[in-house]
Every structure is written in C-alpha cells, then in structure tokens.
Amino acid sequence: MFLEPVRALLQFCTVLPLGRPADFDAFARHTWLYPLAGWVTGGVAAAVALLLSGHPGIAAAAAVAAAIIVSGGNHFDGLLDLGDGLMAHGSREKRIAALTDRQIGAGGVAGGILITMLAVVGLGEVWSVALAVLTAEVCAKLAMAGITALGAPFHDGIHAYLHGFSRPHFILLALLPVLPLLLLISPFALGKAIAATGIVVLILLGTARHLFGGVNGDVAGASNEIVRAAVIIALVL
C-alpha cells in the first residue's frame, strides 16, 4: 500500500537510484511518512560512523557529510537560503527576496557553517555517533512533517502543494515511524530528541510567520538541518 508513497518520498529526499520516477502525489497525500526517509539517510550516516568508529571526531564529520550528500544537499540549500532571509534588512518583501533568490550571501554562509559545526562538534561528544546521527536524522524528518502540516505557505511552490494535502493530525501519524527508535535508545533520550524537535519547529514557524508571512520549501528544508543539530545537542546535554 505504501510502496509508491515511500518510493516517491525517497526520490524527493535522497539521491538514491530508485528506478522510474514515482507518483509524487502518492507522497504528497502521506507526508507523515517523512521520518522513514530519516531512517534511510540516518542509516547511511550511521554506517559511515561505524566504519570510522575508532576516530570519533572524523566519524562525526563524515556522518554529517554523508547525511547531507545522500540528501543531495537540498535541505542544506534551504538552510543557506533561510540564513540569507534572516540576515536581510528592510521590508518583508526584501527578506522574501533574499530567502528565495538563487544567490547565497553572508547570512547563508554563516548559517550553514554554524549549524553544521554544532552538529559535528556535538556528535563528537555523544555516547554513540551512529545512534545519535540516526536519531537526529529521523527527528529532522519529523520536523519536516510538522512544518508541512502546520506551516501556512506565503506563496505557491512545492511546500504549498504538500501543505494542501497535509492535515494537522499528520503530526501524530509522523510519530509512528519515530517510535522504533525506542529499540535503540532510551525513552529519556528519545523524549529529549522529540522535545528539541518540537521546540525548533515552533520557533521556525513563529519566525517565518513574523518575517516572511508564512513558510516555503526553504524553511521546511532548513528545519531538517537545524533539528539535526538541535537533537544532537539535546542528546549530549
């Protein structure tokens, strides 16, 4: 039943070769499946971390790099665009222009470096780089499900299209693919990770509504990168 939606999800969220293009509408109607993509990207990152387990610092950097690469850098691009939008001065229109243009400015570069640095340094401090990056990736996609369900769009685009199919209860459904993490980490650790995810989602929704008048695909993509770092930090604390 969910084979086509999952295939469409993975084609949207990763660069993995999965054959013919899937029906994107199949995923659009089931955006609560987002965390399943986190199991894939996080699984790849965790495998890299395990291969380099004798060198925690290198394993941390390589794991984050693997997560970004297997996703095609799409969510990272959203982080850079959000950084530009946040750092722009002037009217809402100027901020939206900075958010949506194709050029990357100082705000984007700073945002990309800082968030990625926090994720890498944090991973170097956790009890298990592999389990932490897997948890962070699954929760990062949980954040995207939440942003998609609750983030009213400010213009037409891919986020507006997905939001049109999504429903508020998708947030609860999105928790279902997250719960198997309890087989790998403690309930307390998962509780911290989900709490960090929720806090970041609420902050992003409020900030986007205030500065841009709503959410677009860049904000949704940026939530993936920011939540990854936030969850890792929550697991360290």
Side-chain angles (χ1 to χ4, degrees):
M1 177 180 177
F2 289 119
L3 181 59
E4 192 70 1
V6 171
R7 211 161 62 83
L9 163 67
L10 295 179
Q11 288 180 346
F12 180 57
C13 289
T14 76
V15 293
L16 299 176
L18 298 172
R20 63 173 179 80
D23 178 11
F24 187 70
D25 281 359
F27 163 61
R29 295 186 178 93
H30 300 87
T31 50
W32 59 271
L33 293 171
Y34 257 126
L36 291 180
W39 282 96
V40 175
T41 58
V44 172
V48 170
L50 288 174
L51 287 174
L52 298 169
S53 57
H55 308 278
I58 296 175
V64 172
I68 293 173
I69 291 170
V70 78
S71 67
N74 290 327
H75 309 319
F76 186 77
D77 180 68
L79 174 63
L80 300 184
D81 289 335
L82 178 61
D84 281 339
L86 291 176
M87 294 298 180
H89 296 284
S91 65
R92 174 175 289 177
E93 288 71 24
K94 289 184 178 180
R95 289 185 180 276
I96 291 176
L99 175 71
T100 57
D101 68 20
R102 294 183 176 273
Q103 298 183 1
I104 303 300
V109 173
I113 290 174
L114 292 174
I115 294 299
T116 305
M117 181 176 65
L118 286 172
V120 171
V121 173
L123 270 183
E125 299 293 326
V126 296
W127 73 96
S128 168
V129 175
L131 290 181
V133 76
L134 175 60
T135 301
E137 279 295 301
V138 173
C139 287
K141 298 303 186 294
L142 174 63
M144 293 188 71
I147 292 283
T148 300
L150 300 178
F154 65 78
H155 71 171
D156 290 335
I158 189 65
H159 171 73
Y161 185 75
L162 294 175
H163 178 74
F165 285 102
S166 188
R167 299 293 181 267
H169 72 271
F170 278 18
I171 299 173
L172 296 178
L173 291 176
L175 287 170
L176 296 178
V178 176
L179 293 180
L181 285 170
L182 288 171
L183 299 174
L184 302 173
I185 63 175
S186 70
F188 179 64
L190 183 58
K192 288 196 299 180
I194 292 176
T197 301
I199 290 170
V200 171
V201 166
L202 291 176
I203 291 174
L204 280 176
L205 287 172
T207 301
R209 189 178 301 114
H210 175 68
L211 295 180
F212 312 121
V215 171
N216 73 341
D218 292 321
V219 176
S223 72
N224 183 89
E225 305 300 301
I226 297 171
V227 166
R228 182 199 295 128
V231 167
I232 291 169
I233 292 171
L235 293 175
V236 171
L237 296 179

